[in-house]
Amino acid sequence: MMEGFFHYDKSRQRERAVNEKDIPESEFGKSLMCSIVRTSMYVSPQGNVLPCMSLIGMPIEAQFPNLLKTPLEDILNDSSYYMKTVNLRVSDFMEHNRECRECEYREACCGGCRAMALNTYPEDYLGRDMHACEYFKGGRKDKKDALMKELGFEDGRRKETAPDQSM
């Protein structure tokens, strides 16, 4: 995996860019902004419980509960800031960002990465991920798709190739 960009799963012979999702608009209400935050949590060296290690050192870090001061039971309570954050849906993002609601790439991008968005909008967890915008709108996805096709991938999967008969 090239951190934050590309993943290749050798066992499945499948590649995908991290920014790419395939969520039909009808599923936005159910789809999490980031599915990884529902299966793992990060506890900083100071004890802050964060949805993602990439939030370390960002201004938003101070808003998250501290495990040394708050029992884990309270942190995992549905009404806690931590749980409200990890339960945000793509529909919440789209409601917050009019320009993204109208974007032709909304079903593939789904708002991008929250940590990357916080680099541009430090106080807005639902801010736009400008790197995802550049990836899709700037033609990076098209270039990546062309390269992957050239390398023998179609729809993210490695095409089966016939054995070399030249020997």
Side-chain angles (χ1 to χ4, degrees):
M1 178 171 187
M2 289 175 52
E3 184 59 37
F5 175 69
F6 179 83
H7 179 262
Y8 177 74
D9 184 339
K10 187 175 180 180
S11 66
R12 294 183 185 172
Q13 296 285 303
R14 181 166 173 73
E15 67 81 21
R16 74 173 177 86
V18 175
N19 281 340
E20 293 177 57
K21 298 177 177 101
D22 190 18
I23 302 173
E25 200 163 343
S26 61
E27 298 292 317
F28 281 175
K30 301 174 195 169
S31 302
L32 294 165
M33 279 300 306
C34 180
S35 58
I36 295 170
V37 300
R38 293 290 291 159
T39 59
S40 61
M41 86 173 36
Y42 180 75
V43 179
S44 76
Q46 293 77 26
N48 290 341
V49 177
L50 304 169
C52 175
M53 183 171 74
S54 298
L55 301 183
I56 283 286
M58 292 188 173
I60 199 167
E61 180 182 358
Q63 295 179 36
F64 286 95
N66 188 293
L67 191 56
L68 302 173
K69 300 173 185 170
T70 307
L72 185 58
E73 179 180 27
D74 292 345
I75 293 170
L76 297 178
N77 180 308
D78 283 342
S79 63
S80 75
Y81 181 76
Y82 175 82
M83 289 304 295
K84 286 179 181 177
T85 301
V86 301
N87 281 323
L88 285 169
R89 308 295 167 156
V90 175
S91 59
D92 298 320
F93 174 84
M94 293 298 168
E95 186 175 318
H96 186 75
N97 293 282
R98 187 178 139 240
E99 183 176 341
C100 295
R101 272 195 313 262
E102 297 169 2
C103 178
E104 66 182 296
Y105 299 104
R106 68 184 168 272
E107 292 177 21
C109 171
C110 297
C113 172
R114 300 301 78 225
M116 294 302 289
L118 286 165
N119 283 317
T120 306
Y121 305 101
E123 303 298 324
D124 187 1
Y125 193 81
L126 288 174
R128 292 172 49 213
D129 175 354
M130 300 310 290
H131 298 281
C133 287
E134 176 60 27
Y135 177 73
F136 289 101
K137 291 181 177 181
R140 304 283 194 272
K141 179 187 182 324
D142 295 335
K143 289 177 183 176
K144 187 267 313 177
D145 288 348
L147 175 62
M148 295 312 290
K149 187 173 184 175
E150 186 179 315
L151 294 172
F153 285 83
E154 194 169 297
D155 296 326
R157 295 196 185 279
R158 186 107 165 120
K159 287 190 236 174
E160 294 297 323
T161 57
D164 188 358
Q165 303 286 329
S166 63
M167 295 176 126

